[in-house]
Amino acid sequence: MTAAPAPVPDAARAERADARRNREIVLRTAMRVFAEEGREVSLGQIAHRAGVGAGTVYRHFPSKEILVEAVLAEHVQGFVVSAGGWAGRAAPGDALFGFLLEVIEKLADRKHVCEALTADKGWPRAVLTAAAQRFHEALAGLLHDAKQAGAIRADVRVDDLAALTVGGAALRSAHRDLARGTRLVRLLLDGLRTPTVTKASELRDAPSRQRHETAAPSERRCEECGARLRIRATGRPPRYCGPTCRQRARRRRVADGGMEPLPSSAAPSQR
């Protein structure tokens, strides 16, 4: 008969909770510092910024390489969580393209993270390998659903999309005009969509349609991610698919023209 495990004293549980909390503090601080200043920051500097002793950092991350790998794995895991969110709230094609645009924008904003992933030929190691596999599976799921819905070209593969996120981030970062860089990324993503077959009757009716609107209301798309929009019978036509794209567009307008953003409570709805 197997003996029951001995109960864990309250003091031991509290010590373990403190250790987990300290590890989380160090990891979150390292994520922020590496993103802002690059990988040249020392563990001592990270300990100072985290408000803990150097021994605490070394206890959880014996070397800077181990800490860098943990930071990269945490970023990748964040993408995995985001992929699940997109799958749960959007149509298959919209979920895939919205997710790709989000990953590209975050990689472009976290330039040091992207460089760390691509520059070091020693990646991936064990911790990062596991996170990368989860990302691959999440991306494969979105791609499969989008193909089933006929929203993306049938010959696109998961490794194509993974390479595209890195290239798209570099493209967006390289353009001096952030708005135009983002627009180029959206055009790049649009090239993956299933080509639309135009019927002969649609060609005959085109001149009359052009006298009204350039796009039928049922075909309106989000100005940020290109997702198809739901059109209401009343009210102003929507411009964005949701709060995320609306806030992204507002931040870009602020960056381009210096316009002060409206408080979230006062911002008019665009949907």
Side-chain angles (χ1 to χ4, degrees):
M1 181 175 180
T2 304
V8 179
D10 292 342
R13 283 198 295 267
E15 184 177 352
R16 292 177 185 177
D18 287 342
R20 287 193 297 269
R21 183 165 54 251
N22 286 337
R23 184 185 187 280
E24 185 70 11
I25 290 172
V26 172
L27 182 58
R28 297 297 167 188
T29 301
M31 291 176 68
R32 184 175 64 254
V33 174
F34 285 151
E36 294 172 353
E37 304 178 27
R39 289 192 295 162
E40 302 306 315
V41 180
S42 68
L43 292 184
Q45 290 173 296
I46 291 174
H48 178 73
R49 295 278 291 271
V52 300
T56 299
V57 176
Y58 282 100
R59 189 177 306 117
H60 295 289
F61 306 101
S63 70
K64 192 165 78 170
E65 288 72 21
I66 293 176
L67 177 56
V68 169
E69 182 184 13
V71 166
L72 295 177
E74 193 71 12
H75 280 297
V76 174
Q77 181 59 32
F79 292 145
V80 174
V81 173
S82 180
W86 278 103
R89 69 174 182 266
D94 298 340
L96 175 63
F97 289 108
F99 174 67
L100 290 173
L101 183 60
E102 178 181 335
V103 172
I104 288 172
E105 290 192 344
K106 286 183 177 178
L107 284 178
D109 293 337
R110 302 168 185 173
K111 185 177 180 181
H112 295 299
V113 174
C114 191
E115 290 175 348
L117 283 169
T118 56
D120 191 336
K121 301 305 181 183
W123 304 121
R125 302 186 183 118
V127 173
L128 188 54
T129 296
Q133 180 61 32
R134 290 191 293 271
F135 174 81
H136 186 278
E137 292 170 356
L139 186 57
L142 291 176
L143 176 60
H144 174 269
D145 292 345
K147 283 185 176 180
Q148 290 293 103
I152 190 170
R153 296 174 60 97
D155 58 346
V156 176
R157 306 187 316 188
V158 177
D159 56 344
D160 297 331
L161 298 182
L164 186 145
T165 58
V166 177
L171 172 63
R172 183 175 179 271
S173 298
H175 207 299
R176 290 180 295 178
D177 186 327
L178 179 60
R180 295 192 64 82
T182 302
R183 180 175 180 273
L184 287 175
V185 169
R186 290 202 298 269
L187 291 174
L188 182 65
L189 294 179
D190 283 344
L192 301 177
R193 297 182 187 274
T194 304
T196 302
V197 178
T198 303
K199 299 178 181 179
S201 59
E202 292 177 342
L203 292 175
R204 289 194 299 270
D205 294 340
S208 61
R209 287 203 310 272
Q210 290 174 356
R211 288 197 297 269
H212 294 85
E213 287 187 304
T214 56
S218 61
E219 297 178 355
R220 289 185 183 275
R221 293 186 177 273
C222 173
E223 294 181 9
E224 279 297 308
C225 69
R228 186 174 290 105
L229 298 174
R230 294 188 180 92
I231 307 301
R232 297 176 179 175
T234 60
R236 296 172 58 187
R239 296 171 59 191
Y240 309 109
C241 62
T244 299
C245 284
R246 184 163 58 248
Q247 291 297 327
R248 186 185 293 131
R250 182 174 297 139
R251 288 196 301 268
R252 191 176 68 250
R253 289 197 300 271
V254 172
D256 292 343
M259 180 184 69
E260 289 294 328
L262 293 173
S264 57
S265 60
S269 174
Q270 295 291 341
R271 295 194 70 186

